[in-house]
Amino acid sequence: AEAYYYQGLIFKKLGQYGRSDESFKLALSFNSAHSGARNEKKDTEKFIRNLDPFDRLNIRKDFLKELKINIPTHYDYIKMSLLAYK
């Protein structure tokens, strides 16, 4: 149950809310008394109902920044391509 719970948290941070919800359901199927999975499942379902698509990108971007993964912007790609021609 714990593994599915933590998997759900990771999917939620990555903005994959459907997969997150499935992981929390699996955690609850192994341990129906898992309060963390139950609370996260409720929060995720509520979040999915009220989520603007633009918010999904920001949440994923914030999580990747937390992991120290930098996603280049369009401007960064242009700068990189100009350096290749110098």
Side-chain angles (χ1 to χ4, degrees):
E2 288 295 312
Y4 286 115
Y5 169 69
Y6 288 112
Q7 182 183 43
L9 291 176
I10 292 168
F11 282 139
K12 187 175 177 181
K13 285 265 194 176
L14 288 171
Q16 298 180 9
Y17 304 105
R19 293 177 77 182
S20 173
D21 191 47
E22 290 172 19
S23 294
F24 294 134
K25 284 179 190 174
L26 284 169
L28 290 170
S29 72
F30 284 102
N31 180 3
S32 59
H34 196 295
S35 61
R38 187 179 304 113
N39 292 337
E40 288 294 335
K41 184 178 179 316
K42 284 181 192 174
D43 290 346
T44 303
E45 287 173 347
K46 188 170 107 176
F47 192 69
I48 289 170
R49 284 193 300 270
N50 300 322
L51 188 61
D52 179 21
F54 186 70
D55 291 337
R56 292 179 192 220
L57 295 174
N58 287 335
I59 292 166
R60 182 174 183 275
K61 195 181 302 179
D62 290 342
F63 177 65
L64 292 174
K65 196 181 296 181
E66 184 179 318
L67 293 177
K68 309 273 191 262
I69 297 173
N70 184 25
I71 301 173
T73 63
H74 180 70
Y75 179 70
D76 292 331
Y77 284 118
I78 292 172
K79 286 193 307 187
M80 287 185 267
S81 66
L82 291 176
L83 289 174
Y85 289 110
K86 287 186 176 182

